[in-house]
Amino acid sequence: MNGEQRVRRYYELVDAGDVTGLVGLFDHDAVYRRPGYDPLVGRAQLESFYREHRVIKEGVHTVSTILVHEDGAAVHGTFEGTLHDERSVSLRFADFFTFSESGTFRSRDTFFFAPMV
């Protein structure tokens, strides 16, 4: 699976709720940085986040742009979904992935387009 396929697969697995599958796309010691959370380090913390702490109940990512370089990818898209408290959410996001030599994700940084200042 090349970098673009792996990134697209990630969003498919997230939207399907396949935590085991999506965590398997990451290195064992991968780092995920996301606004509002301490960095998540390693597969165990990633799995805990997706199973227990993620505020999103369900939804769909629509990827509009993926730019792939040999050791990473930049993604822009939208997300439409429902939170666990039943509120609807609609937002734009940007993700930046780095790849390990084996092709798994070494890191992911997520940014949301939301007013902050």
Side-chain angles (χ1 to χ4, degrees), residues 9-50:
R9 183 71 179 141
Y10 167 79
Y11 294 109
E12 291 170 4
L13 293 169
V14 169
D15 292 348
D18 184 346
V19 174
T20 301
L22 75 89
V23 168
L25 296 174
F26 288 83
D27 273 354
H28 288 282
D29 59 351
V31 177
Y32 178 28
R33 289 172 287 272
R34 177 184 183 94
Y37 296 88
D38 290 335
L40 304 168
V41 180
R43 286 183 174 174
Q45 286 189 4
L46 286 166
E47 184 164 351
S48 175
F49 169 75
Y50 282 103

Side-chain angles (χ1 to χ4, degrees), residues 1 6 27 70-71 98-106:
M1 183 176 332
R6 183 171 293 274
D27 273 354
E70 60 193 41
D71 62 350
T98 60
F99 307 141
S100 67
E101 289 183 15
S102 67
T104 56
F105 300 137
R106 186 174 56 233

Side-chain angles (χ1 to χ4, degrees), residues 41-109:
V41 180
R43 286 183 174 174
Q45 286 189 4
L46 286 166
E47 184 164 351
S48 175
F49 169 75
Y50 282 103
R51 291 194 190 281
E52 301 167 20
H53 304 289
R54 188 173 185 238
V55 298
I56 296 169
K57 179 179 178 181
E58 61 188 5
V60 176
H61 291 85
T62 302
V63 173
S64 57
T65 306
I66 298 179
L67 301 174
V68 178
H69 188 267
E70 60 193 41
D71 62 350
V75 180
H76 180 253
T78 58
F79 177 80
E80 303 275 340
T82 305
L83 305 180
H84 285 286
D85 67 6
E86 300 304 325
R87 286 183 294 152
S88 294
V89 64
S90 176
L91 56 84
R92 293 171 50 210
F93 70 89
D95 275 329
F96 297 88
F97 294 87
T98 60
F99 307 141
S100 67
E101 289 183 15
S102 67
T104 56
F105 300 137
R106 186 174 56 233
S107 68
R108 177 181 175 215
D109 293 317

